[in-house]
Amino acid sequence: MSTPTKYLLDESQMPTFWYNIVADLPKAPPPVLHPGTLQPVGPDDLAPLFPLELIRQEVSTEREIEIPEPVREIYRLWRPSPLYRAHRLEKALGTPAKIFYKYEGVSPAGSHKPNTAVPQAFYNAQAGTKRLTTETGAGQWGTSLSFAGQLFGLEVLVFQVRVSYDQKPYRRAVMETYGARCLPSPSTETEYGRRVLAQRPDHPGSLGVAISEAVELAAQREDTKYALGSVLNHVLLHQTVIGLEAMEQLQMADAWPDVIVGATGGGSNFAGIAFPFIGHGLRGGAKPRIVAVEPAACPSLTRGKYAYDFGDTAHLTPLTKMHTLGSTFTPPPFHAGGLRYHGMAPLVSHLKELGLIEATAYTQTQCFEAGVLFARCEGIVPAPEANHAVKGAIEEALRCKREGKSETILFNLCGHGHFDMAAYQKYFAGELKDETYDERELAMALAGLPSVPEPA
Amino acid sequence: MSTPTKYLLDESQMPTFWYNIVADLPKAPPPVLHPGTLQPVGPDDLAPLFPLELIRQEVSTEREIEIPEPVREIYRLWRPSPLYRAHRLEKALGTPAKIFYKYEGVSPAGSHKPNTAVPQAFYNAQAGTKRLTTETGAGQWGTSLSFAGQLFGLEVLVFQVRVSYDQKPYRRAVMETYGARCLPSPSTETEYGRRVLAQRPDHPGSLGVAISEAVELAAQREDTKYALGSVLNHVLLHQTVIGLEAMEQLQMADAWPDVIVGATGGGSNFAGIAFPFIGHGLRGGAKPRIVAVEPAACPSLTRGKYAYDFGDTAHLTPLTKMHTLGSTFTPPPFHAGGLRYHGMAPLVSHLKELGLIEATAYTQTQCFEAGVLFARCEGIVPAPEANHAVKGAIEEALRCKREGKSETILFNLCGHGHFDMAAYQKYFAGELKDETYDERELAMALAGLPSVPEPA
């Protein structure tokens, strides 16, 4: 084999800036609105939950934002992450396409999430925060924040959806290994949790409830802040280190993508790989096609409405304009838990409206089938979320085969599936169903969107 | 931070030869004996189980054995593996020592085992083998062989100890993801399995029974061979790629180890990191101290007898001279399943007798405590087996602190603990016991060693 299997960067080649796509957009994204006044929110509205530097990044229009040295010091534990050429997958597909994938599963938490957990913990520690609260479903984000908090001496309190807490104790064990405290939500530690439990003592929990508990504690105490793992601008910003590295690595391979594929739930891993390339195109460089792949059972980009909506089910958050299935929409319980969110990151939604990205949706069995083929060729067993990107990349490679084109495909393999083997087990046992949502429920959720007049 | 966190080699810098320590030993290791004749076994005795090239490697005295290009092509999926400087652990310990660790958890199977699974599958495929059989306990080795077999088009049949098969379905799901067939042992597919089940239908299985089933099938069919994940010379040989890479990487760091630490069960990951350095010392180079760390509950090097013994409980294997607790000794059920073996690799045992290595033993709670500290500093959650090496390295670093010495410590972090979180969970719940063996059982097992006259 004459061409390499992987392209590695030295620590000294790690990016020193995150890339902020807002600087290059032809049209500014719509403002975030206060749910009471329907006026744009200011820094003061967000200050109870986030440290000032993160609020600054949330609204920044600077193109490059420096990665602080203490963050880079931690990044070096796993970054730069490898870029792989999927030689064996190409051969198995018989495609003339070149397939590259960036692998984020090398992080301690096994996914791209620590890319933002580490700076969030750093800026909080710098601002004097003593404790971070957050919510987690399956546990990927909770694990990442536990790891990051430990490194900067912050106490981390994770509200884990009770059904996951009971059924998936291994992720909780990882969080405890990193020194975090993990509570089943609804819990008795918050007023909201106690209220929910009073109504229904065996409540199984939901991300919406867990967010409300985490936000309630953060808002109450000066020394406590809240951390979110996706959706927000500053979270997407931190993930751009993925695409910035991939640019360097593709240059080593003397290649440039014709198409970039990423899985979308909240939007952060997709933004991480895609935004630097989109920005390069907006500044006059080559414009690859950008394909967001979402689960058919929670299709915010392909079936949702672009409208102002709440980020949580309890309606505690500001209103953001995004592709949404409605904040009361409950996605069916498929296995890519990281993609089970009713909305899409406002920035990703804005890019979709500007025609800068495409979107497509696949069912979970289609995605697992793709993931198993990938594992048998490339060795790595992908997370169920990452299987969506694998499926999207395989479809592009098969299109290239049909069209006889040797395009270059880049996708983000955002995490490994080591904590998701129960889903693979079900897949092999033929027990994995293609859960679908209730069309009436979707219609009702969309009909219930808050009424917000277009700003002048 | 001026010094790097990790040292990476390019694929082009990957070793092209494995290192065979037999070439440099001052005294040849004792021969392997046929249990019937008590005469040294020849290639014909091993031919039903292994392809000729592996038998050749088993008895080779050549210093360097070329790594075939198809094996290197697969190695490139994760090799060269990174060498880390444990800056944060050093700081937490307050030690003047420099701690480096080689991380083998980056392989698709999550441990060092694919280093030998891949060449074993390759040589078998080359020799016309269609099917490989093997045994596995927790599943690390079975996973690695499943992965390797898939890459070379071999059918893989794994006999998994029934109690693990039932209690740990996730490793089995990984094996199935790689296309292997995994059966609970005792099974109805072999005569031996049926005999065991006839006596006791609810038999929980044991590694001894699983080995017997795998060997029985391999011996019966021309197209089927058997593969072993540790102990044998050729297995240790393949693992030397670890130490050979570490040598290059330490030179990048302008460092050389004063002490090398590895966990020992069968001996393969320890040999992999240590043998190239020991050989370098035997050829006139610097001689680092070499410390083997074993579990206190299965202490073959520190409490066993150096004697001829069987490799399995059913006494189907040849006799090898090794440190053994007796083939009838049953280690208590501690969580480092990869270290639960009654004997030690004959080559490692021989080096111990020659005074080239030291050995020490720790209890499992001591090792988990070390592993948790490591995870909180370095991010990676180690496998329970690897925790023994972590503990050994920490003890050396604390000795350096007491003695005011800034020695350089190198250890092998042979795998991650993603599939072992149940053990961490027990540790945090205070339920992890320091299981100990029965002294009378050990005495009886040692008394029952086969009587073999010293060869002339």
Side-chain angles (χ1 to χ4, degrees):
Chain A
M1 177 110 0
S2 52
T3 47
T5 298
K6 55 191 176 323
Y7 297 87
L8 303 177
L9 297 174
D10 199 73
E11 291 177 6
S12 64
Q13 298 166 288
M14 195 166 70
T16 55
F17 293 85
W18 293 300
Y19 168 67
N20 180 9
I21 197 168
V22 174
D24 289 320
L25 290 179
K27 187 182 164 190
V32 175
L33 303 182
H34 190 286
T37 64
L38 297 185
Q39 292 303 306
V41 297
D44 288 354
D45 296 306
L46 300 171
L49 296 185
F50 303 108
L52 198 63
E53 180 55 30
L54 289 176
I55 296 172
R56 209 186 64 74
Q57 292 180 3
E58 187 65 20
V59 298
S60 172
T61 55
E62 282 173 66
R63 181 175 291 125
E64 294 185 332
I65 294 178
E66 192 177 358
I67 307 175
E69 173 52 27
V71 171
R72 277 185 276 159
E73 187 196 322
I74 306 299
Y75 273 1
R76 289 188 197 111
L77 289 174
W78 74 96
R79 302 212 72 86
S81 71
L83 178 83
Y84 279 90
R85 170 84 184 270
H87 287 300
R88 301 184 65 90
L89 179 63
E90 290 171 16
K91 209 169 152 190
L93 296 172
T95 179
K98 295 184 189 70
I99 307 176
F100 291 89
Y101 61 97
K102 182 79 169 160
Y103 183 41
E104 291 294 308
V106 293
S107 84
S111 77
H112 63 294
K113 294 288 186 191
N115 295 335
T116 184
V118 172
Q120 288 193 50
F122 167 74
Y123 291 120
N124 269 290
Q126 213 184 26
T129 305
K130 298 286 175 241
R131 189 167 69 146
L132 285 175
T133 63
T134 198
E135 72 290 333
T136 202
Q140 292 238 21
W141 168 243
T143 301
S144 302
L145 196 70
S146 302
F147 159 69
Q150 168 67 32
L151 297 173
F152 292 104
L154 295 172
E155 201 184 312
V156 175
L157 180 58
V158 181
F159 289 93
Q160 185 171 22
V161 176
R162 181 184 290 274
V163 60
S164 293
Y165 182 92
D166 290 336
Q167 287 175 1
K168 299 179 180 178
Y170 297 154
R171 275 276 180 195
R172 175 173 23 122
V174 185
M175 292 184 240
E176 287 174 0
T177 301
Y178 291 137
R181 189 162 161 239
C182 179
L183 284 174
S185 166
S187 78
T188 55
E189 305 244 337
T190 66
E191 202 180 305
Y192 185 67
R194 286 188 293 271
R195 207 188 320 155
V196 170
L197 286 173
Q199 286 176 353
R200 184 176 164 191
D202 67 341
H203 196 292
S206 73
L207 267 179
V209 173
I211 292 175
S212 303
E213 291 202 272
V215 167
E216 180 186 319
L217 280 193
Q220 269 172 7
R221 279 171 54 168
E222 189 68 35
D223 65 352
T224 301
K225 300 283 179 193
Y226 169 70
L228 191 66
S230 191
V231 177
L232 298 177
N233 296 358
H234 69 266
V235 178
L236 275 52
L237 171 80
H238 300 154
Q239 294 295 353
T240 58
V241 66
I242 302 172
L244 292 168
E245 286 178 4
M247 283 180 152
E248 294 294 321
Q249 290 164 313
L250 284 168
Q251 277 169 350
M252 289 166 71
D254 204 16
W256 201 255
D258 297 294
V259 52
I260 298 176
V261 180
T264 43
S268 76
N269 97 75
F270 169 79
I273 189 115
F275 280 11
F277 289 92
I278 297 173
H280 180 76
L282 288 169
R283 295 192 305 276
K287 288 185 163 67
R289 284 176 53 228
I290 310 283
V291 181
V293 183
E294 60 183 12
C298 191
S300 56
L301 278 172
T302 55
R303 295 290 316 274
K305 193 170 164 184
Y306 185 56
Y308 272 100
D309 196 8
F310 291 97
D312 69 328
T313 47
H315 296 185
L316 297 176
T317 68
L319 291 166
T320 51
K321 194 158 184 185
M322 59 182 177
H323 288 86
T324 177
L325 300 164
S327 65
T328 61
F329 176 81
T330 308
F334 58 89
H335 282 278
L339 309 181
R340 293 185 63 232
Y341 186 64
H342 69 275
M344 180 51 57
L347 264 180
V348 172
S349 296
H350 184 57
L351 293 182
K352 176 76 163 47
E353 286 305 298
L354 293 176
L356 295 171
I357 66 171
E358 307 167 25
T360 182
Y362 295 105
T363 66
Q364 74 173 345
T365 53
Q366 290 177 312
C367 295
F368 272 89
E369 187 189 15
V372 169
L373 174 64
F374 182 84
R376 290 183 182 177
C377 293
E378 300 293 317
I380 300 163
V381 180
E385 292 82 1
N387 280 343
H388 289 73
V390 174
K391 172 65 178 170
I394 287 176
E395 285 302 314
E396 291 294 332
L398 293 176
R399 175 188 58 73
C400 288
K401 185 181 180 178
R402 286 193 304 273
E403 298 175 357
K405 288 183 181 166
S406 62
E407 291 182 13
T408 295
I409 300 165
L410 168 67
F411 76 94
N412 194 24
L413 192 72
C414 62
H416 62 62
H418 298 171
F419 295 100
D420 306 288
M421 292 316 298
Y424 278 89
Q425 204 185 343
K426 278 193 183 169
Y427 173 74
F428 290 119
E431 292 165 8
L432 210 63
K433 297 279 185 300
D434 278 336
E435 305 280 0
T436 184
Y437 54 86
D438 184 326
E439 287 283 355
R440 275 184 318 179
E441 191 196 336
L442 175 58
M444 278 179 60
L446 289 176
L449 284 173
S451 171
V452 178
E454 277 295 316
Chain B
M1 176 107 5
S2 53
T3 48
T5 299
K6 55 192 177 320
Y7 298 86
L8 303 176
L9 297 173
D10 199 71
E11 291 178 4
S12 64
Q13 296 166 291
M14 194 165 70
T16 55
F17 293 85
W18 292 301
Y19 168 66
N20 181 9
I21 198 170
V22 174
D24 288 319
L25 290 178
K27 188 182 162 190
V32 175
L33 302 182
H34 189 286
T37 64
L38 298 185
Q39 294 302 305
V41 297
D44 289 353
D45 296 306
L46 300 171
L49 295 185
F50 303 107
L52 199 63
E53 181 55 31
L54 289 176
I55 296 172
R56 207 185 65 73
Q57 292 180 2
E58 187 65 22
V59 297
S60 172
T61 55
E62 283 172 67
R63 180 174 291 125
E64 294 185 334
I65 294 178
E66 193 178 357
I67 306 175
E69 173 51 28
V71 170
R72 276 185 276 158
E73 187 197 321
I74 307 299
Y75 274 0
R76 287 187 198 112
L77 289 174
W78 74 95
R79 303 215 71 87
S81 70
L83 179 83
Y84 279 90
R85 172 84 183 269
H87 287 299
R88 301 184 66 89
L89 179 64
E90 290 170 16
K91 209 169 153 191
L93 296 171
T95 179
K98 294 183 189 69
I99 307 176
F100 291 89
Y101 61 97
K102 182 78 169 161
Y103 183 42
E104 290 294 307
V106 291
S107 84
S111 77
H112 64 294
K113 294 287 185 191
N115 295 335
T116 184
V118 172
Q120 287 193 50
F122 167 74
Y123 291 121
N124 270 289
Q126 213 185 26
T129 305
K130 299 285 176 240
R131 190 167 70 148
L132 286 175
T133 63
T134 199
E135 73 288 332
T136 202
Q140 292 238 22
W141 168 242
T143 301
S144 302
L145 196 69
S146 302
F147 160 67
Q150 168 67 30
L151 297 174
F152 292 106
L154 295 172
E155 202 184 312
V156 175
L157 181 58
V158 181
F159 289 93
Q160 185 172 21
V161 176
R162 181 182 291 273
V163 61
S164 293
Y165 182 93
D166 291 337
Q167 287 175 0
K168 299 179 182 178
Y170 297 155
R171 274 276 180 196
R172 176 172 24 120
V174 185
M175 292 184 242
E176 288 175 358
T177 301
Y178 291 138
R181 191 165 159 236
C182 180
L183 285 175
S185 167
S187 79
T188 56
E189 305 244 337
T190 66
E191 202 179 305
Y192 186 67
R194 287 188 293 271
R195 209 189 317 155
V196 171
L197 286 174
Q199 286 176 356
R200 185 178 164 190
D202 67 340
H203 195 293
S206 74
L207 267 180
V209 172
I211 293 175
S212 303
E213 290 203 273
V215 166
E216 181 187 318
L217 280 193
Q220 268 172 7
R221 279 171 54 168
E222 190 67 34
D223 65 351
T224 302
K225 300 282 179 195
Y226 169 72
L228 191 67
S230 190
V231 177
L232 298 178
N233 296 358
H234 68 267
V235 178
L236 275 52
L237 172 78
H238 300 154
Q239 295 294 353
T240 58
V241 66
I242 302 172
L244 292 168
E245 287 178 5
M247 284 180 153
E248 295 294 322
Q249 290 163 313
L250 284 168
Q251 277 170 349
M252 289 165 71
D254 204 16
W256 201 253
D258 296 295
V259 51
I260 297 175
V261 180
T264 44
S268 76
N269 97 74
F270 170 78
I273 190 114
F275 281 11
F277 289 92
I278 298 174
H280 180 77
L282 289 169
R283 294 192 305 276
K287 287 186 163 65
R289 283 175 55 227
I290 311 282
V291 181
V293 182
E294 60 183 12
C298 190
S300 56
L301 278 172
T302 54
R303 294 290 316 274
K305 192 171 165 185
Y306 185 56
Y308 273 101
D309 196 7
F310 291 96
D312 68 328
T313 47
H315 295 183
L316 297 175
T317 69
L319 292 165
T320 51
K321 196 159 185 183
M322 59 182 177
H323 289 85
T324 178
L325 300 165
S327 64
T328 61
F329 176 81
T330 308
F334 57 89
H335 282 279
L339 309 181
R340 293 185 64 232
Y341 186 65
H342 70 275
M344 181 49 58
L347 265 179
V348 173
S349 295
H350 183 57
L351 293 181
K352 176 77 163 47
E353 286 306 297
L354 293 176
L356 296 170
I357 65 171
E358 307 168 23
T360 182
Y362 296 105
T363 67
Q364 74 174 345
T365 52
Q366 290 177 312
C367 295
F368 272 90
E369 187 189 15
V372 169
L373 174 63
F374 182 84
R376 291 183 182 178
C377 293
E378 300 292 317
I380 300 164
V381 180
E385 292 82 2
N387 280 343
H388 289 74
V390 174
K391 173 65 178 171
I394 288 176
E395 285 302 315
E396 291 294 332
L398 293 175
R399 176 190 55 74
C400 288
K401 184 181 181 178
R402 286 192 303 274
E403 298 174 358
K405 288 182 180 166
S406 63
E407 291 183 14
T408 295
I409 300 166
L410 168 67
F411 76 93
N412 194 24
L413 192 72
C414 62
H416 62 63
H418 299 172
F419 295 99
D420 305 288
M421 292 317 297
Y424 279 88
Q425 203 185 344
K426 278 194 183 169
Y427 172 74
F428 289 117
E431 292 166 8
L432 209 63
K433 297 279 184 304
D434 278 336
E435 305 280 0
T436 183
Y437 54 85
D438 184 328
E439 288 282 357
R440 275 182 318 176
E441 192 198 336
L442 174 58
M444 277 179 61
L446 290 175
L449 285 173
S451 169
V452 178
E454 278 294 317

